[in-house]
Amino acid sequence: MPPFLHPTLLFVGLGCVAIPIIIHLLTRQRRQPIPWAAMRFIIEAYKRQRRRLTLEQLLLLAARCLLVALVAFAIARPLLSSVTAASRAARVVYILLDNALPSSLSNPDGTTPLDSHKQAAIDLLATLDPARGDRAGLVLLGAPVDPAVVPASADIPAVRRLIEQATPTDSAADLDVAFSRLAPELAAAPADTPPVTISLHSEFLAGSIDTQRKLAALPARADAPPHTILISPPRDTPVSNVTITGVEPLRPLILGNSPAGSQADDQVRVHLRRTGPATSQASTSLVKLRLSVPSSPRDAGADLASADAIAKWSPGDREASVIISIPTASLVDAGPSALIATIDRDAIASDNTFRRPVLARRAIQVALVTPPRLSLAVTIDRFEPADWLRLALSPQPGDSSPIRVVDLDPRAIAEPSALAGIDAVIAPRPDLLDDRAWTRLAEFASSTGGGGLVIFGTPPGARAHPWLDQLESKFSLRVPGDREASRPAEPLSLRPDTSAALLALLSPELAELVKPVRVMERLRLDAPTDPSLSLLTLSDNSPLLLIPAPAESVNAAAPSPRPVSRAAVLLFTAPFDLAATDLPARPLMLPLIQELVRQGVGGASASLASSAGAPIAAPPDAAVLAPIPSDAGPQISVSSAPFAPRRAGLWRVQDSRGSALSLLAANADPRAANTSTTTREQVRAYLAAALPAGTPDTQLAFTDSPAPSSNPTNPSQPAPDPRSPLPAWLLAAAALVGVIELALARVFSHARRLSPGLSASIAARNTSRVGARAAAPTTEHQAA
């Protein structure tokens, strides 16, 4: 017996065959005989017709049972592939299911493309017969690619359950990686085995395929038929969609100690992109922005501030941006927070929200490492490096200043509570630090210590600078160059060009600000190989301000230093002294120091953001990623490998003790949100590049095309329809049996088929009954 698509319905239907039998038996129950005068004539006639009547009853019973059985078989849907399996070889089918962001697109009927792809894949599985050696594999294309069933398995029901459980991701489809995962399996297939069929189910929107990226080549089959790729037809109905592609605060640190609008700290730029037919029309988009802080892992957080703005689209616009000012006048110290931007719901819901981790502070606490003095300098000629820095950090001291400066004795740094509540440390005299102080500063700059910012200056008046060795060893950094100060023959000027992100807000005015600055003495360090590490460069190409590069190797015998965040350490190669440079007295000094502290404190924090599907390296001490809110998903244990979320969301990064380290955000991949359609020619050309050279075009076909290559086993023969025609034939047979049963019931009816003797006896019986009823009133009257 062939397998059935719905075996349970088959058993229920076959059980219903007993219904006609039970009715037949109930109608044959014997009744108590009552003798009467004409009874013997009927009994004699019945004895003569008994065999014929029994045969008629059995024929009617068989017809009724066969009718119920045929209907049961039709409803259970026997699989035609299994009926014809004896005439073909085993098949291997790999189903590539596109569950990327475009698969969650909402259709007018409430369904999604993923629903259609899953049903098509299930119909394909229905054509496979494990008893004949058929196997199926499953690869989910949403990045990171999930090879759910690779190599192919003979457990077809398990593959079907995985397909039914597939959910859309917020990442892009990665067909190149999927082909790379399949290539070893295809290459390992013996030449005498049937070719493998790759069934690709996707809408092939512009966000689903990257035509600029070449696919991994599938292996060739020497002296054997090539593999076949079956393609679902691309979507031909365009859909409009608006995506939030980015949320960029001017600084990653949002301060709330100034009135709203008085500074740039509260300004956030939100970037939008639209695709589809709407690009030819004028429209508007309402953008809502809120600053939220998760108060605990169990709730979604409280909003500290919110604002909104309207982005206007002109016909033809595909990109738009809007600047929103967040009211932060009453902001409190909230720590790791998130800027969350939302727009109105459209075709794809997941890309209508964007999360950006930031730090929200009432003010920045900066520790200025300087020895205590009995009196402060009152004239510029008596200023020490710490005096210049204090003046640049807080030109108007007071509680309203967004940067608050505290003096810290170099000998007190090693105390456990010395750096409590401190966001940044500036050490203009690193030569005064002892070994314990260096160790404590390295811990402060590491992720364990909160990722604090440390800025080192060069001590004035010193010829040799051995403290650079301590900087390299304690912070695991590399500072190549001379360890002695040098004075050039002519004062050096500053180059106006810089690509540093820390100084991005100064770029428009930097060319004018650096013009009067001159440097007469500095450490002659080598220029970093990475230009982005040199924030300010002198005219001889040596750095004035740089980010020391991480060390390439560390002595294995020595204790491994804790990793330091990039941009957590800054180094000035010239002293903050007028004898070495006039920078402290120039207009560049104040905005330079202010911007380094504000950008550095926010950038040195361990807050992270990325797109769904892209790997994110969690902080070294992270142990658990707890979703916010907690019911948004399970907790994720952090391993040494980067974390690559498939869904957009917000996570709290916790260490092994459960303490919060930072926030991690993943957003819908904006590349995948492109809902523009592609043509069949584009899809065919894109996939044809993955086939080995010389592969016939017939090995690549769309599932709705009557191409010879539609047979997964033999491209030269048409494949059987996964929707078996047997149920239709069975229903037709059941209808025919029903008609025959009605005809037999009519023919076998005793009203029309009575023998002459039986008819005469029945007529005599009826005549006697009428005569008896007519005589009854007369008898009663006579009796009265």
Side-chain angles (χ1 to χ4, degrees), residues 14 63 118 120 126 175 198 207 210 218 247 320 328 428 457 470 484 499 547 550 607 613 618 628 699 707 709 724 726:
L14 292 180
K118 290 163 66 173
L175 193 57
I198 300 176
D210 184 2
L218 297 176
V247 173
T328 58
Q470 288 277 46
E484 294 185 357
S499 59
I547 303 174
S607 298
I628 302 174
Q699 304 306 121
S709 61
S724 172
L726 280 183

Side-chain angles (χ1 to χ4, degrees), residues 592-656:
L592 175 64
I593 299 301
Q594 290 263 339
E595 198 63 21
L596 289 177
V597 170
R598 297 188 187 204
Q599 293 277 15
V601 170
S605 66
S607 298
L608 304 170
S610 184
S611 297
I616 308 175
D621 294 304
V624 174
L625 300 180
I628 302 174
S630 58
D631 58 0
Q635 290 190 351
I636 302 172
S637 298
V638 178
S639 62
S640 57
F643 167 61
R646 290 186 171 91
R647 298 301 305 268
L650 196 64
W651 290 266
R652 184 192 299 270
V653 183
Q654 299 176 347
D655 58 16
S656 57

Side-chain angles (χ1 to χ4, degrees), residues 500-512:
L502 289 177
L503 303 180
L505 293 181
L506 295 183
S507 297
E509 295 83 18
L510 190 61
E512 294 297 325

Side-chain angles (χ1 to χ4, degrees), residues 328-348:
T328 58
S330 58
L331 195 66
V332 297
D333 287 337
S337 307
L339 285 170
I340 302 177
T342 58
I343 57 176
D344 296 333
R345 186 182 180 94
D346 53 13
I348 300 178

Side-chain angles (χ1 to χ4, degrees), residues 116 126 148 163 318 348 391 468 533 551 710 724:
S116 303
I163 292 175
R318 294 183 179 271
I348 300 178
L391 183 61
L468 290 173
L533 298 181
S710 59
S724 172

Side-chain angles (χ1 to χ4, degrees), residues 397-489:
D399 294 338
S400 61
S401 176
I403 298 179
R404 299 174 183 175
V405 183
V406 295
D407 289 348
L408 183 63
D409 192 332
R411 296 168 295 182
I413 293 179
E415 297 180 3
S417 60
L419 300 180
I422 298 299
D423 300 308
V425 175
I426 301 180
R429 295 287 306 274
D431 57 327
L432 301 179
L433 302 176
D434 57 18
D435 187 75
R436 295 174 56 204
W438 280 105
T439 302
R440 182 68 184 92
L441 287 179
E443 293 178 352
F444 173 76
S446 68
S447 58
T448 305
L453 172 68
V454 182
I455 301 177
F456 291 102
T458 298
R463 180 73 175 175
H465 297 273
W467 56 271
L468 290 173
D469 297 332
Q470 288 277 46
L471 175 62
E472 288 186 331
S473 62
K474 297 297 184 181
F475 286 79
S476 186
L477 300 174
R478 183 169 53 89
V479 187
D482 295 340
R483 295 295 191 264
E484 294 185 357
S486 62
R487 299 183 68 90

